[in-house]
Amino acid sequence: MSLVNKVSDQQFSWCFRDPVNTDEVKDYLDVISDPIDLRTMEKRIRKGDWYKNKHMLYSDMMRMVNNCKLYNGEGSTYYDYAVSLEKYLATVFPKRVTSAVASAATEGSGGS
């Protein structure tokens, strides 16, 4: 829980704290098939059976970053917040976690 709280406390993370309101952002689910946000992660941690390790939590955090970049596009304020979050995550998660998740993502995409 403390990692989620650390992320949530960052000034740039305000837009990641709650699920995207799909009543306001009507096409969000047309673009993003697997949404995630900090509140959902917090609920999963409290429930206690979702995240088996830090790799899984980091993977969801990076999915949140990538969803934001994909939906908003380079040059938007939200994209910039996602970049800031990505840089911050590299400082709060151990290098072995970030490296393992990056390697798994590369392998899962066929290396491209």
Side-chain angles (χ1 to χ4, degrees):
M1 183 79 83
S2 67
L3 284 171
V4 173
N5 290 337
K6 282 182 180 180
V7 171
S8 190
D9 287 345
Q10 301 307 303
Q11 184 176 1
F12 53 77
S13 73
W14 67 269
C15 57
F16 301 104
R17 291 181 188 139
D18 295 304
V20 171
N21 183 338
T22 55
D23 290 332
E24 292 178 14
V25 187
K26 299 209 182 285
D27 68 339
Y28 187 74
L29 296 176
D30 295 335
V31 178
I32 304 301
S33 61
D34 196 9
I36 190 72
D37 58 89
L38 294 171
R39 185 168 17 143
T40 299
M41 287 182 228
E42 189 176 305
K43 286 179 185 177
R44 289 175 173 178
I45 290 169
R46 283 195 179 132
K47 192 173 178 189
D49 62 352
W50 188 270
Y51 297 111
K52 305 296 183 200
N53 54 49
K54 288 182 181 175
H55 295 89
M56 293 176 73
L57 179 60
Y58 179 75
S59 183
D60 267 1
M61 294 265 185
M62 286 307 299
R63 181 161 45 99
M64 186 172 64
V65 164
N66 292 328
N67 285 351
C68 181
K69 287 178 171 181
L70 175 64
Y71 184 80
N72 295 288
E74 201 167 344
S76 77
T77 301
Y78 294 110
Y79 186 98
D80 294 343
Y81 290 150
V83 169
S84 295
L85 175 56
E86 186 172 16
K87 289 177 183 174
Y88 180 72
L89 292 176
T91 70
V92 295
F93 279 89
K95 181 85 171 150
R96 63 182 165 71
V97 171
T98 60
S99 298
V101 170
S103 294
T106 301
E107 289 169 11
S109 67
S112 58

